[in-house]
DNA sequence: CTCTTATTGCAATTCAGTCTTAATAGGAAT
DNA sequence: ATTCCTATTAAGACTGAATTGCAATAAGAG
């Protein structure tokens, strides 16, 4: 299965239609490097000649999330930040409250402890949101 | 120092005025049990005879946060959920995605590992946002 | 008591995200 | 291919949380 099929096979499985917009959205999303917001995504899609409405993006985001194409990364103020979720392993974020710098980290021990907590409360863990906020080295110097 | 002075001493230290609204806001906030949103807070303040505008609440929330009176708890959809930050030790949240149930947990090992991560990236940790999302026992049965 | 200026309430505004609706197009059945 | 049903789309109105500008008010220093 080529990577191009990932979203289409999800759509087929869910009895959803493969539209031009969904294909373009999939392409556009995968072209994103790093973190992005819905607005920047729409803007970049337009630049690439894909005129997909903001609503269509919003409507299809749950599908892209479900299909494992994108991942809700974190929230910066009002905006939700997304990132591509293909190939890249799970990780959490460390943000600088001064300059907005974003670092990614993974800690298997924390992941395991999260599972323990969920088990303890008899929850079936679906996902988690874990952000550390602090001041980076550079900002601390000024 | 009585607990009533906590906010006032913070205001004094910061060269901010002690207004009727700030005193009432402080009282009102401390009367909140559990989690609350800005709107519910304004509503309850009004019920208690404290007619404080929503704007004043928004404007003073950063001060209350800074003074350690309230704490940003987590976000539910668009709304920011707050909770009183006096007496209560730090804790994180476990949410049920089906029924919205909120459990609180503390794990000293996770806390320590967060410090380790921050140290590794040379960040000075200020706070963190840690929510586990899953399905609770009751919801899993239906 | 007076005066300066922080603070307040109001109204207008912003902005992410949602909803409504009419038009369009996917794709199954024929 | 053609028809038809219905999912999906774009446009724009709308929502609700949060912010801002401004004129009126009141804290508290002198």
């Amino acid at each position: 299965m080529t990577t191009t099929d990932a979203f289409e096979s999800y759509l087929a499985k869910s009895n959803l239609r493969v539209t031009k917009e969904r294909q373009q959205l999939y392409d556009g999303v995968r072209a994103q490097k790093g973190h992005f917001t819905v607005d920047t995504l729409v803007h970049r899609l337009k630049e690439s000649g894909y005129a997909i409405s903001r609503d269509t993006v919003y409507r299809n985001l749950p599908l892209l999330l479900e299909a494992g194409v994108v991942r809700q990364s974190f929230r910066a103020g009002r905006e939700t930040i997304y990132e591509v979720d293909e190939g890249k392993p799970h990780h959490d974020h460390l943000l600088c409250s001064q300059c907005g710098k974003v670092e990614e980290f993974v800690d298997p021990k924390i992941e395991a402890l999260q599972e323990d907590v969920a088990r303890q409360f008899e929850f079936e863990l679906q996902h988690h949101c874990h952000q550390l906020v602090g001041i980076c080295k550079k900002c601390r110097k000024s």
Side-chain angles (χ1 to χ4, degrees), chain A:
Chain A
M1 162 167 98
T2 69
T3 52
T4 324
D5 293 334
F7 191 37
E8 285 194 28
S9 65
Y10 169 80
L11 292 172
K13 196 178 64 191
S14 312
N15 284 321
L16 296 167
R17 292 182 182 167
V18 177
T19 64
K20 174 172 58 69
E21 287 82 2
R22 281 177 175 155
Q23 290 172 324
Q24 294 180 349
L25 182 58
Y26 180 65
D27 283 353
V29 160
R30 290 177 65 235
Q32 299 304 309
K33 299 296 175 200
H35 306 104
F36 60 91
T37 65
V38 169
D39 271 346
T40 60
L41 176 59
V42 171
H43 192 250
R44 287 182 198 160
L45 282 166
K46 197 167 289 174
E47 283 176 344
S48 311
Y50 296 161
I52 299 175
S53 74
R54 213 164 44 92
D55 304 62
T56 299
V57 174
Y58 275 116
R59 254 181 285 113
N60 285 300
L61 261 174
L63 305 180
L64 290 165
L65 287 165
E66 185 66 26
V69 176
V70 300
R71 173 197 300 158
Q72 217 155 328
S73 188
F74 57 92
R75 274 181 105 129
R78 289 181 187 177
E79 289 183 308
T80 304
I81 312 291
Y82 297 88
E83 69 187 315
V84 177
D85 185 18
E86 278 184 340
K88 207 167 189 181
H90 165 76
H91 59 263
D92 293 307
H93 296 91
L94 178 54
L95 317 175
C96 176
S97 57
Q98 308 271 310
C99 66
K101 186 180 178 181
V102 181
E103 295 280 5
E104 300 178 351
F105 72 90
V106 201
D107 190 326
K109 278 175 287 184
I110 293 180
E111 303 289 324
L113 288 166
Q114 288 173 338
E115 288 290 346
D116 286 349
V117 170
R119 206 169 300 125
Q120 190 182 319
F121 284 92
E122 305 193 86
F123 270 59
E124 184 188 315
L125 201 56
Q126 293 174 309
H127 58 270
H128 64 258
C129 167
H130 194 190
Q131 302 159 41
L132 305 182
V133 181
I135 307 175
C136 74
K137 194 182 185 181
K138 198 186 284 177
C139 288
R140 222 163 46 244
K141 283 180 183 161
S142 28

